[in-house]
Structures are given as C-alpha cells and as structure tokens.
Amino acid sequence: MMWRFVLLVFPLSLMAQDPVIFSNDKYSGISGVGFSPTQPFFNPNPWDVNVIAEDIFVQNNYTYISNLSIVGIPGADIKSVNLFDNIMGVTGLHIQDYYNKAKGGYHFSSDLLGPSFSFTTDIQQKKYVFGLFTRVRTQGSALDIDNYSRINNTNTDAVYLYDFHPFKTNFMNWGEVGINVSTQIFEKKEFRLVLGGSLKYEIGYDAMKINSKSTANIVRTVDSNFATDGVLTNYNIDASYATAYDSEKKKYDFKSNGRGLGADVGLTFIKWNYRMEDYDYKISFNVLDIGYINFKGQNHHFRGRPFDFNSLSGRNINSPEELMHILSEEVYGDPDASLVGTDFSIGLPTSMHVNMSKRIRDDHYLNFDLVQRAPVFKNSLRRANIANVSYSVQKKILGYGASVSMYEFRDLQLGTYLRLGPLIIGSENFLPLFFKQKKLHSADFYFAIKIYPFIERNSDKPHRSNCRC
C-alpha cells in the first residue's frame, strides 16, 4: 500500500553518519574535511591526495531481519513476515519483520569522496593549507513515523481504524565540488587558534520530500478474519520529487536537476607542545552544511475523496511520475490535477560538531566528538546525533583505533579503523558486519585509498623556518 511504498521503496536510503574515528587521525588530511574544515591544517605531510573513499551507513528502528549479519545477506533466503503462515521474526531465521513500536524511522547515508587533494604553502611567512574536494552524497531523514506495518506483521491485535499522525520525510542525492582553506589566526606562547572553511558548489540529481500535514484515518476491512489495507480518509499530503533516472531507457544519468551553494566553517583552539612538536590538546567547533539546493521537478498535492489502497494492487509502476498520475486519477479523476508546481528546495543536513582531542603520549590520542543536527532551512535533511569517544594510535604509515558511540544519544555502537599505508578501512558499527544479530537493523562501513608522502612536515615548521633571529 502507499504508506509502505513511501517508507520502504523511496528512502531505504536515509540519514548521515561520518567515519568519526578516522576523521580524528591527523593523517586524514583532505579526507576529514567534511567533518572538520580545519582538519587538513594538522596533517604532518605537506600534501595528500584522496583517490577514492566511501562511507555507507544504515540504521533504522522500523524494520529488521532476524538472526543474520551483513556478510551473510548475499547467501541468505530472506522471507517476509506472514502472520497467517506463522512466519515471524521473533521465532524464525532470516525473516524481514517489523518492530512492535508505535513510532519508527529510517536513517541512511552514502558519502563518496572522489578525487581530492590538499597542500601546504607559506604566504608572507604564514602557513596556509588549501584543498579541493569532490563528493557524491545521498542522505535523507524519516523520523518518528507511525509504525503502521506492525499491525499486519507482528503479533498485534487487529486494528480496524488507524490514525496516521502528521509526518515529514525527505531524501536527496547530490554532488559537491568544494574549496577548503585553513590557517592560523592567533598565536600566543604555546596557544594557537586555527580557522578553516569550505565553500561548496552543490549539484542536485535526485530529491524527494513528503509532508503529511494532518492526521489521516485508515479504515481497514476484514477478510477471512484478517484485517487488510483499506481506505485512507482525511489526508492532506504534499509530495515533491525530481530524479535523474530515465524510466523510458531504464538508465540512470547524472543529470543536474538542481543547483545550490553550501558552506562549512570551523575554529580550533590548540595547546602546542614545542618539545614534542605536537599538540597537548585541541578543541574544535564546527558548523557544517549551511546551505540548500533549488530543484526543478514536480510538486503534487493530494486532498480529496477517500482513497482505496487496493486500487494500486497489481499495477506495474515504473517511475515516480507514473505513480503520481495514478494517484491523481484515483483522487481527482484526472491524472494531471494533482500537479501544482515545479520548484522546490531541500536544505543541506546542517549540524554542529564539537571535537576535543588529548595527546596521551607519543602517537596516542583520546578523542571526544559530539554531533548535534541543527536544520536551518525549510525541508532540511537531518544528520544523525552522535556522541563518540575514541582512542587512536597515529603513526606515519600505520594508524588504528577503537570507539564507543551513542547513535541518537541512545543506541550503543562499537567502532574501529585501520590505516595501513594508502589503505584505510573501518566501521563505526562493526558488530553487525560479521556477527549475527537477533534483529539486524543497522550497519556502517567505510574505506579509502590515499596517496601521501611518508616524510612529515611538522605543523610548527613554518614558524621556526622563517625566524630570522
């Protein structure tokens, strides 16, 4: 039925996480620019190049697969829950079932960092770090939506009149080309202040937003003692979309459907240790993803006669446009009546990030990161709230670490990473990758390939090398 189509088909690609542990590695360079625009300044190397990096994050508390790990998915025979045949996740293996909660949501992000680089230079005896980066990002948000699916798919008493409360959900797939600059703006004895910023040109490929503005009623019918999807009434729904997928050629083309600008800004305070040629501690405050993208697509509005979900049964729907025509025909009796405009915008997933890092001993660091989403613009994407504590060892060719994080400040996750020469692999939530979960509902994995010299340039060198005393 339509609600499951919206929640399951559109974004099982929804909400952002970052490779937090690796972003704290001083050798991360340009790879950490999306999490802290001052991070490239602390790279001991005079330059570095990111060849490719990918981070994929999935989290939800709406649906799950029983007794399975991520690596086990390709070879598993996954069945959908069926209460009539007594196929349930709580008792079976590899069953896709639903949490028996009143509210649920999805979170997913994919962040592909393409060819990018940063380099250090001196301008008027002052150190600057410049960077250029390219990214393709997919994010969205679907938070606190009524978990209607639990009615049919868990051992819950049948409900024949269901109130579906107002909700919003959105999704965006976009590219970025960004310029990053960071430099020291203040120094007094061993204390320093570093300012960094990124300006980003945004290219929108796909977007979707749905706003259900009133409490809709679902009247369910009874068939063989089982309640089935019935009729939707009292609905008031705005739906907008744009896509680069060509449904006629059945081919995806990275065609621009939107344009925008974005910005990141960061400020880092450092307590520098001249004897160790490293910081004793640093505190960083960052505001990320300020901006939005304007899209050309389709805006639809649905508010009318009762809608029977069974009218969608058996239909072969090949594109969002075809779906909108069908819904408009059912609601208004005219396939074009629901179309009300072509322009809409999606805000970037604005957030605040606070980082504190303490050097414990040579190459050993204790880090704390706090990310709080702070949506600014209308229809903004929602980044995940995260509290993360990590411990890492950061040497020239080898880096590794482990972390404990609280996703949305409630779900405990364990992470780890390894940097070995040009290869970086890691996860902020590695247990579901390899170990069977009673209820598999989340995972995170990232990797990167970088090119950088194995000869360091110390962060303090520009000050000493230019001293004419």
Side-chain angles (χ1 to χ4, degrees):
M1 45 90 79
M2 188 177 72
W3 294 104
R4 288 184 214 166
F5 183 89
V6 169
L7 297 177
L8 297 176
V9 176
F10 265 112
L12 202 30
S13 23
L14 303 168
M15 203 162 192
Q17 176 125 319
D18 299 270
V20 180
I21 320 174
F22 175 59
S23 295
N24 278 303
D25 193 314
K26 60 187 178 183
Y27 293 93
S28 62
I30 193 65
S31 301
V33 72
F35 205 47
S36 177
T38 61
Q39 185 65 18
F41 187 86
F42 304 103
N43 188 355
N45 294 317
W47 58 266
D48 79 342
V49 176
N50 178 84
V51 179
I52 188 171
E54 168 69 7
D55 177 33
I56 298 177
F57 169 72
V58 180
Q59 176 89 24
N60 88 96
N61 59 353
Y62 191 92
T63 184
Y64 66 88
I65 302 174
S66 63
N67 297 288
L68 197 61
S69 65
I70 296 297
V71 297
I73 288 179
D77 180 17
I78 301 174
K79 298 180 180 178
S80 296
V81 63
N82 189 320
L83 190 61
F84 182 78
D85 293 331
N86 200 30
I87 300 175
M88 300 174 63
V90 292
T91 57
L93 298 176
H94 309 165
I95 308 299
Q96 185 262 319
D97 203 342
Y98 298 89
Y99 283 97
N100 191 18
K101 298 178 180 179
K103 297 281 187 177
Y106 297 90
H107 306 255
F108 171 95
S109 73
S110 170
D111 194 336
L112 175 65
L113 183 67
S116 309
F117 66 89
S118 65
F119 64 92
T120 300
T121 187
D122 296 339
I123 300 177
Q124 296 182 350
Q125 300 184 357
K126 188 175 183 180
K127 174 184 172 182
Y128 287 84
V129 177
F130 295 93
L132 177 69
F133 58 91
T134 61
R135 300 167 78 184
V136 176
R137 305 171 66 182
T138 303
Q139 292 185 28
S141 59
L143 303 176
D144 294 328
I145 295 179
D146 283 318
N147 192 354
Y148 173 74
S149 294
R150 80 190 195 279
I151 302 301
N152 276 335
N153 299 289
T154 62
N155 192 15
T156 304
D157 292 337
V159 176
Y160 302 108
L161 179 61
Y162 190 92
D163 292 333
F164 209 105
H165 295 92
F167 75 94
K168 293 181 180 180
T169 181
N170 55 13
F171 163 85
M172 187 163 68
N173 181 33
W174 77 104
E176 285 183 346
V177 179
I179 298 174
N180 173 257
V181 182
S182 56
T183 188
Q184 183 172 295
I185 60 173
F186 174 81
E187 178 179 8
K188 186 175 182 180
K189 294 183 179 180
E190 69 270 31
F191 298 105
R192 302 177 177 181
L193 200 60
V194 175
L195 176 66
S198 298
L199 182 63
K200 304 179 289 187
Y201 176 62
E202 314 287 354
I203 308 168
Y205 302 123
D206 308 279
M208 180 273 297
K209 69 180 184 71
I210 295 175
N211 181 11
S212 178
K213 298 186 287 187
S214 64
T215 299
N217 305 121
I218 300 175
V219 182
R220 309 173 80 226
T221 58
V222 179
D223 182 16
S224 301
N225 297 322
F226 282 89
T228 60
D229 295 332
V231 177
L232 181 69
T233 62
N234 299 324
Y235 55 89
N236 185 9
I237 301 171
D238 289 330
S240 302
Y241 77 91
T243 181
Y245 179 75
D246 189 331
S247 57
E248 292 184 0
K249 297 180 180 179
K250 299 187 183 303
K251 169 182 179 181
Y252 190 87
D253 182 14
F254 278 96
K255 177 182 65 175
S256 172
N257 288 306
R259 294 282 191 274
L261 290 175
D264 306 328
V265 62
L267 191 65
T268 301
F269 174 82
I270 312 162
K271 169 66 164 58
W272 187 256
N273 189 315
Y274 286 95
R275 184 176 63 85
M276 301 302 299
E277 296 187 334
D278 197 358
Y279 64 82
D280 283 329
Y281 63 85
K282 64 183 179 77
I283 302 173
S284 177
F285 178 77
N286 310 278
V287 182
L288 308 174
D289 288 319
I290 307 167
Y292 59 90
I293 299 179
N294 291 318
F295 281 91
K296 283 286 187 181
Q298 293 191 14
N299 301 325
H300 293 263
H301 180 72
F302 299 98
R303 183 176 187 177
R305 63 189 182 191
F307 175 77
D308 188 351
F309 294 119
N310 295 315
S311 63
L312 298 178
S313 299
R315 298 212 190 196
N316 186 20
I317 301 173
N318 297 310
S319 68
E321 184 178 13
E322 186 176 350
L323 173 63
M324 294 301 155
H325 281 312
I326 292 173
L327 294 177
S328 182
E329 177 70 37
E330 293 295 327
V331 173
Y332 300 113
D334 180 349
D336 299 314
S338 64
L339 183 64
V340 294
T342 59
D343 298 323
F344 66 95
S345 63
I346 300 285
L348 299 179
T350 309
S351 65
M352 295 181 292
H353 167 220
V354 178
N355 168 260
M356 292 179 282
S357 180
K358 177 72 172 70
R359 181 177 59 83
I360 304 303
R361 56 189 178 92
D362 286 356
D363 305 321
H364 287 244
Y365 301 86
L366 178 66
N367 311 290
F368 172 75
D369 291 272
L370 180 68
V371 179
Q372 172 65 57
R373 59 176 167 265
V376 175
F377 298 99
K378 187 179 180 180
N379 305 316
S380 289
L381 302 171
R382 261 63 170 173
R383 184 183 290 262
N385 293 325
I386 303 169
N388 180 285
V389 178
S390 64
Y391 190 91
S392 56
V393 178
Q394 304 169 20
K395 299 181 180 180
K396 293 180 183 179
I397 302 177
L398 177 67
Y400 55 90
S403 74
V404 177
S405 61
M406 293 292 290
Y407 165 80
E408 288 299 315
F409 306 145
R410 65 172 183 265
D411 297 331
L412 183 67
Q413 297 179 346
L414 303 179
T416 185
Y417 90 101
L418 172 67
R419 172 176 53 80
L420 184 60
L423 176 65
I424 297 98
I425 57 174
S427 172
E428 300 298 325
N429 186 20
F430 74 90
L431 289 179
L433 294 175
F434 307 104
F435 300 96
K436 287 184 178 181
Q437 305 292 300
K438 186 176 179 180
K439 294 182 177 181
L440 179 63
H441 67 283
S442 63
D444 176 72
F445 177 76
Y446 58 87
F447 77 93
I449 298 175
K450 294 174 64 70
I451 300 173
Y452 53 89
F454 295 134
I455 300 175
E456 295 185 2
R457 176 179 181 176
N458 187 270
S459 298
D460 193 45
K461 187 175 180 181
H463 299 283
R464 294 182 287 125
S465 62
N466 289 297
C467 177
R468 297 180 181 180
C469 50

